[in-house]
Amino acid sequence: MPQAVPTSRMEEGTPSGDAPRLHAPAILQFVEAAEPVAQEGPQSPIRKYLNARSSGGVADKTVAGLRLICAVSIFGVVIFILTILIMRSKLSLAQFGFSFFTRSAWDPVSGDFGALPFIVGTLETSLLALAMAVPLAMGVAIFLSELCPERLRAPISFLTELLAAIPSVVYGLWAVFVLVPLMRDQLGPFLYKTLGWTGLFEGANFGVGMLTASIILAIMILPIVSSITRDIMLAVPVSQREAVLALGATRWEMIRTGVLRNARIGIVGAVILGLGRALGETMAVTMVIGNHPDISKSLFAPGYTLASVIANEFTEATGNMYLSALIEIGLALFIVTIIVNAIARALVWAVTRGAPARVN
Amino acid sequence: MSANPIPIPTPTDEGKSMRPPMNFQTRRMRVNSQRRYLMNYLVTGLAVLSTVLVIVPLVAILVYLVYKGASSLNFAFFTQIPAPVGESGGGMANSMLGSGIILLLASSMGIPVGIAAGVYLAEYGRGRLLAMSVRFTADVLNGIPSIVMGIAAYSLIVMRQLHFSAFSGGVALAIMMVPTITRTTEEMLMTVPHAIREAALGLGVPKWRTVISVSLRTASPGIITGCMLAFARVAGETAPLLFTAFGNQFWSFKLNEPIAALPLQIYVYAISPYDEWHRLAWAGSLVLILMIMVSVTLVRIYAGRNTLKGAS
């Protein structure tokens, strides 16, 4: 038996051509299942023809390998971005360490950097935008998935898709010329008058600032959050709805117990996905946030976000430390959005992957 | 007749306040159901209201953009390069050309890789752990901020070459295209019925030929949809181009030099203090949006016809 092994290996290497077909069944068991089964008896003309012609084995392996490389390159890209960001931000990583994220100094002249104002600005605008967008998005999703007449559904879905496709810089342009004056002349004074006692709407109101940035962010993430939430709600089986309705529930009770409860994990995922989008949004925010590295309680005050400081200062960064600090901010943004997106995707998957909805 | 088992309440029994029982409902149940129906109407109203609240301003943005853009669009916009500050006129012809070059570069790099990765996920790696993790990574990569892609391309190419270039912009956008294309390709290939593949394999067609001429061919409308969507998405990206393509006030055809791009130019003009430049920014936005909308609408029409003939 031992001497049979090399023979079978040889057979494996030459699936085509006129290598002699072996008949012993003992050898056949070493041949992989993918191999064409050896023919019994003398070779027919058809078999000869097929053997003479390429079986595609080599081409198959090459093509499969190429596809595999392309697929793995997606992995590669993520790891590659991570390493290159770490490499290029080594200087500031070594200089400031972890305190980079807890200090609020930002002084390019003396080379003293800390990212706290940007982190605060990013979190503040994103969370505020979520607070504005999520209730509205839920309403839209409920309307589209449960209440909407069949005829309206397609146009409204189309419209939301269209709005999700508008580039961020165009939203920014609109915000600069429409939202900022509106904020300065109407909305701002109104908020100061009615909610000024909270201390959130203090100080000079130039129209640009945290609140304006949050509003434009909310407008931008609305289509995304609502369309994902709608998809998740539609993934809840109809039988769930019918069961709840058959028990005599009203439509709202059906939505609450039959749909929202089953889809809640996915909805949380959609919201986190919106958060991820808001965290990384650059252009529109840069154009209206005022770009000033200060932490202020007032929502009228100009601020800065992680993404907008990179967009604004990267090309004019002089000196290696400055550049390295900016790249470290990019690294932080990268890691945070990866974590946020991974959580969100896992949650959305858990719901939409076709697992039967649980009743509880 | 006098031994009637069911006592019928008469008005004389307990006064006029006594009502005959309705469908065995008690008073509490009636109040309760009233409350439930009220809640139902309230929530329905809220859902409709929020939809209106969302749709109306969004449509208003759209209409305003079209109005502002159309009033500032003229022929020179498409034929001239930007005029110096203070002079009126000028256009964005070089930006449009630059955008075209960058997008062509990005598509030629991103689309083949994206489709190949999608084919791997759907045809070769089905059910494998590797495929699962690649799929997940693609989804996560999709959510990475575009500005980080810009930094990556900057660190990779611009820092080596020591100058901005159209090529680095194309690489940044190509990386952004891949995950979208991969996921749509995979999903579209999943809808191809197994019977078609088996028929081809049964005829002795090798697997690679089956994948290319049967699976990909059948799913091609959907895959084209995915490519167009990815294209539309990166066409409006500004952040990754800020420090890769950098922008250029003049004609540029070389891949190795800074090049103008439409979104970039809109950004520069929007934050500038000059009215003439604002006008150009509006016109540029309209052109950009029209470009994106035409591709999205085409996709919509195309995808609407995406029914597999002979699929069972």
Side-chain angles (χ1 to χ4, degrees):
Chain A
M1 242 13 258
Q3 70 269 34
V5 178
T7 328
S8 75
R9 284 280 169 262
M10 225 168 70
E11 176 73 8
E12 221 180 311
T14 56
S16 59
D18 39 12
R21 293 282 167 187
L22 297 165
H23 297 276
I27 289 168
L28 262 184
Q29 75 187 25
F30 289 95
V31 180
E32 282 188 13
E35 281 282 310
V37 178
Q39 283 268 314
E40 297 285 339
Q43 288 189 341
S44 68
I46 296 175
R47 173 54 56 192
K48 265 188 197 152
Y49 168 71
L50 284 178
N51 279 344
R53 161 174 201 279
S54 156
S55 74
V58 178
D60 249 0
K61 291 216 169 91
T62 324
V63 173
L66 274 178
R67 310 261 192 238
L68 180 64
I69 289 169
C70 286
V72 172
S73 75
I74 293 178
F75 258 153
V77 163
V78 173
I79 291 165
F80 174 74
I81 293 177
L82 194 63
T83 45
I84 206 160
L85 289 181
I86 291 175
M87 252 171 57
R88 301 286 186 198
S89 61
K90 226 185 265 167
L91 207 57
S92 95
L93 278 172
Q95 171 91 30
F96 303 112
F98 190 74
S99 70
F100 182 73
F101 300 109
T102 53
R103 283 146 32 88
S104 58
W106 188 258
D107 187 0
V109 181
S110 62
D112 192 14
F113 299 103
L116 192 64
F118 314 119
I119 294 173
V120 171
T122 305
L123 286 180
E124 202 176 325
T125 48
S126 302
L127 294 179
L128 213 57
L130 274 191
M132 284 186 268
V134 169
L136 285 175
M138 294 295 295
V140 175
I142 289 177
F143 179 76
L144 280 180
S145 69
E146 311 294 334
L147 310 170
C148 183
E150 200 63 47
R151 219 184 306 158
L152 273 178
R153 189 174 288 173
I156 294 182
S157 307
F158 180 55
L159 198 66
T160 35
E161 250 173 64
L162 218 57
L163 288 160
I166 292 183
S168 145
V169 68
V170 176
Y171 275 116
L173 182 70
W174 178 82
V176 166
F177 290 105
V178 179
L179 193 58
V180 167
L182 193 75
M183 196 70 207
R184 189 176 51 218
D185 302 331
Q186 270 119 42
L187 209 53
F190 170 75
L191 281 173
Y192 179 71
K193 216 178 283 170
T194 51
L195 294 167
W197 50 270
T198 53
L200 290 174
F201 303 100
E202 293 289 326
N205 172 20
F206 301 111
V208 295
M210 290 287 194
L211 188 61
T212 318
S214 309
I215 291 174
I216 194 70
L217 268 182
I219 292 176
M220 291 178 69
I221 62 174
L222 250 173
I224 299 155
V225 177
S226 62
S227 68
I228 296 173
T229 311
R230 181 203 60 193
D231 288 348
I232 286 163
M233 286 185 179
L234 288 177
V236 174
V238 181
S239 57
Q240 291 283 330
R241 298 189 175 88
E242 285 167 351
V244 180
L245 282 178
L247 290 173
T250 62
R251 189 148 59 176
W252 161 240
E253 285 161 345
M254 179 270 283
I255 293 169
R256 190 164 53 92
T257 56
V259 180
L260 290 184
R261 185 169 291 183
N262 278 320
R264 63 183 187 274
I265 298 172
I267 292 171
V268 171
V271 171
I272 300 179
L273 221 51
L275 176 68
R277 201 47 79 94
L279 288 177
E281 189 43 62
T282 315
M283 300 320 295
V285 173
T286 310
M287 289 159 91
V288 296
I289 200 169
N291 298 332
H292 188 73
D294 249 344
I295 303 174
S296 167
K297 195 188 166 199
S298 170
L299 293 177
F300 286 154
Y304 233 150
T305 68
L306 292 171
S308 61
V309 70
I310 301 171
N312 232 5
E313 302 188 359
F314 202 83
T315 45
E316 52 204 48
T318 47
N320 288 335
M321 182 57 89
Y322 195 2
L323 200 61
S324 160
L326 284 173
I327 293 180
E328 189 175 347
I329 288 179
L331 177 69
L333 196 58
F334 179 74
I335 292 172
V336 168
T337 44
I338 276 201
I339 293 171
V340 166
N341 273 294
I343 294 171
R345 283 293 170 192
L347 292 177
V348 171
W349 269 21
V351 174
T352 51
R353 245 175 69 201
R358 282 170 299 132
V359 187
N360 43 11
Chain B
M1 275 308 171
S2 59
N4 196 342
I6 306 165
I8 300 168
T10 53
T12 51
D13 267 1
E14 285 186 38
K16 283 178 185 173
S17 66
M18 179 74 185
R19 285 209 218 141
M22 255 170 58
N23 293 341
F24 303 103
Q25 273 191 339
T26 63
R27 188 181 163 71
R28 230 179 104 195
M29 279 169 78
R30 266 203 307 281
V31 171
N32 188 22
S33 84
Q34 270 171 7
R35 211 193 62 223
R36 288 170 51 206
Y37 279 102
L38 207 68
M39 190 68 194
N40 184 31
Y41 291 131
L42 188 73
V43 175
T44 309
L46 276 179
V48 174
L49 184 72
S50 58
T51 310
V52 172
L53 262 179
V54 169
I55 296 296
V56 166
L58 289 179
V59 170
I61 292 178
L62 220 57
V63 170
Y64 189 75
L65 281 175
V66 171
Y67 162 73
K68 278 293 261 192
S71 62
S72 21
L73 209 55
N74 55 19
F75 187 65
F77 181 86
F78 295 102
T79 53
Q80 291 178 11
I81 64 170
V85 181
E87 282 179 35
S88 67
M92 286 191 177
N94 62 335
S95 309
M96 280 186 271
L97 177 85
S99 266
I101 291 175
I102 294 175
L103 287 173
L104 203 67
L105 260 175
S107 305
S108 61
M109 286 184 278
I111 289 178
V113 174
I115 290 181
V119 169
Y120 174 79
L121 293 185
E123 300 279 339
Y124 294 90
R126 218 176 259 200
R128 287 196 200 161
L129 185 67
L130 176 68
M132 294 271 285
S133 39
V134 167
R135 192 174 300 137
F136 194 73
T137 317
D139 275 346
V140 170
L141 191 62
N142 218 350
I144 289 175
S146 52
I147 190 133
V148 175
M149 297 296 178
I151 298 184
Y154 176 88
S155 310
L156 173 69
I157 300 168
V158 179
M159 267 184 158
R160 295 254 161 83
Q161 291 189 320
L162 295 176
H163 59 81
F164 300 106
S165 66
F167 179 69
S168 55
V171 169
L173 293 189
I175 296 176
M176 298 191 63
M177 285 178 93
V178 169
T180 315
I181 297 176
T182 301
R183 295 290 282 131
T184 34
T185 303
E186 187 208 351
E187 263 157 38
M188 288 304 134
L189 285 175
M190 291 290 200
T191 63
V192 175
H194 256 305
I196 297 184
R197 278 189 205 109
E198 280 159 8
L201 290 172
L203 288 171
V205 180
K207 177 150 185 179
W208 66 276
R209 248 343 257 282
T210 311
V211 168
I212 289 172
S213 323
V214 177
S215 303
L216 274 179
R217 194 87 173 263
T218 318
S220 62
I223 293 172
I224 293 170
T225 306
C227 294
M228 294 283 270
L229 282 179
F231 183 84
R233 191 184 153 209
V234 299
E237 280 297 347
T238 319
L241 299 180
L242 278 173
F243 26 84
T244 50
F246 193 68
N248 195 332
Q249 292 289 314
F250 305 101
W251 291 105
S252 168
F253 301 96
K254 290 188 184 147
L255 298 186
N256 220 5
E257 283 177 1
I259 197 167
L262 200 50
L264 209 54
Q265 203 68 16
I266 293 171
Y267 172 65
V268 171
Y269 281 178
I271 58 172
S272 77
Y274 312 110
D275 278 344
E276 185 64 21
W277 282 11
H278 293 163
R279 187 185 67 78
L280 284 175
W282 284 111
S285 298
L286 181 65
V287 171
L288 191 61
I289 287 183
L290 280 182
M291 207 171 88
I292 289 167
M293 277 186 185
V294 164
S295 49
V296 172
T297 316
L298 275 181
V299 159
R300 200 64 188 197
I301 296 167
Y302 208 67
R305 293 187 297 153
N306 181 18
T307 43
L308 298 176
K309 292 190 184 75
S312 52

